[in-house]
Amino acid sequence: MSKRNLSLPLMRLHPPIKLLTYLWLLLTLFQTAQTRAKPTRHSTTALKRGVGQKQGQDIGAADTPVALVTRLPQTNQSLARLEYVMTQMVNAERAKVHLNALVFDSKLANVARAHSAEMRDRDYFAHQSPTPALRDPLDRYRAFFGTTPLIIAENIYRVWGSPHTPSENDIKTAHSALMNSPGHRENILRRGVTRIGIGIITNRNGDIWLTQMFSEP
């Protein structure tokens, strides 16, 4: 059986043979003020236009320069199919409550996938990137598109354990976990958004880093 952990992302767990699912909830809501609101504990982030404007910043830590990667195309066709499958799952949930279907935006998916890859490569799990210019979902959107969206929201998910090939069952498990979390569910069923980008990254072990981004340009 797989297990889920809702504690702080800095906690390190050492799974035995069975697959261990790690799901951290970090919800950040930004109000229409000039300063950023403090996040509560959910792995979702929602931002609106005109909130928390950022000034120009140096890229990467002062002692460890990091290349600014704002997008990452999907080169694995199996993972591309899983991203599509999850998009269909999201739209099926939205249809149940009479919400508009979301259009899969490949450019937004590239932004989401870049965040998934950075979480894997820099060994962290959070909406807040250690790269200053890409600090939060709004920063990452602006860095690639060069514009500020009306709405941007983000869910992140991670699973790791024994070696395996990521499959549709993994995506079903991820989707179920997200829908059973109030913060994630709110983003999946968010009114006002029209586009979705899903970025899935894995490693040789088959561990998964997944980022969902929802937007209204």
Side-chain angles (χ1 to χ4, degrees), residues 36 54 90 93 104 145 192 197:
R36 297 185 186 275
K54 277 203 163 192
V90 167
E93 297 291 353
F104 185 85
F145 288 98

Side-chain angles (χ1 to χ4, degrees), residues 42-57:
H42 297 279
S43 62
T44 64
T45 301
L47 305 96
K48 295 185 178 181
R49 178 174 294 187
V51 179
Q53 302 292 333
K54 277 203 163 192
Q55 303 300 320
Q57 295 176 311

Side-chain angles (χ1 to χ4, degrees), residues 91-101 189 191:
N91 280 332
E93 297 291 353
R94 293 178 65 86
K96 292 177 185 177
V97 293
H98 309 292
L99 291 173
N100 60 294
L189 302 181
R191 294 181 181 276

Side-chain angles (χ1 to χ4, degrees), residues 1-116:
M1 294 179 62
S2 62
K3 297 180 181 179
R4 291 186 177 82
N5 184 282
L6 305 183
S7 56
L8 292 175
L10 295 178
M11 180 178 290
R12 294 295 182 186
L13 300 177
H14 302 280
I17 299 176
K18 301 292 185 177
L19 183 66
L20 176 65
T21 300
Y22 180 98
L23 178 62
W24 166 244
L25 311 178
L26 179 62
L27 174 65
T28 307
L29 293 176
F30 285 79
Q31 307 299 325
T32 54
Q34 295 302 312
T35 57
R36 297 185 186 275
K38 294 183 179 180
T40 55
R41 295 179 295 170
H42 297 279
S43 62
T44 64
T45 301
L47 305 96
K48 295 185 178 181
R49 178 174 294 187
V51 179
Q53 302 292 333
K54 277 203 163 192
Q55 303 300 320
Q57 295 176 311
D58 293 332
I59 299 170
D63 57 345
T64 309
V66 177
L68 183 64
V69 179
T70 61
R71 65 184 179 91
L72 183 64
Q74 182 61 272
T75 58
N76 185 310
Q77 293 304 308
S78 294
L79 296 183
R81 185 182 68 82
L82 295 182
E83 292 170 351
Y84 174 77
V85 166
M86 177 164 265
T87 300
Q88 297 300 101
M89 292 179 179
V90 167
N91 280 332
E93 297 291 353
R94 293 178 65 86
K96 292 177 185 177
V97 293
H98 309 292
L99 291 173
N100 60 294
L102 302 180
V103 175
F104 185 85
D105 186 326
S106 60
K107 293 182 179 179
L108 190 61
N110 288 347
V111 176
R113 202 174 297 112
H115 185 58
S116 294

Side-chain angles (χ1 to χ4, degrees), residues 131-205:
T131 305
L134 304 175
R135 184 66 69 196
D136 59 39
L138 183 57
D139 294 327
R140 294 190 282 276
Y141 186 99
R142 288 169 171 165
F144 176 71
F145 288 98
T147 60
T148 300
L150 287 171
I151 302 172
I152 186 72
E154 180 181 84
N155 289 341
I156 57 175
Y157 177 91
R158 181 185 175 187
V159 60
W160 76 86
S162 55
H164 76 296
T165 299
S167 68
E168 192 167 322
N169 285 334
D170 291 303
I171 300 307
K172 290 178 179 178
T173 298
H175 178 72
S176 178
L178 294 171
M179 284 299 295
N180 286 326
S181 160
H184 294 88
R185 181 185 180 90
E186 180 180 356
N187 276 346
I188 290 172
L189 302 181
R190 184 171 293 280
R191 294 181 181 276
V193 295
T194 58
R195 300 183 184 184
I196 185 172
I198 298 176
I200 299 175
I201 288 293
T202 63
N203 59 15
R204 292 182 180 180
N205 194 56

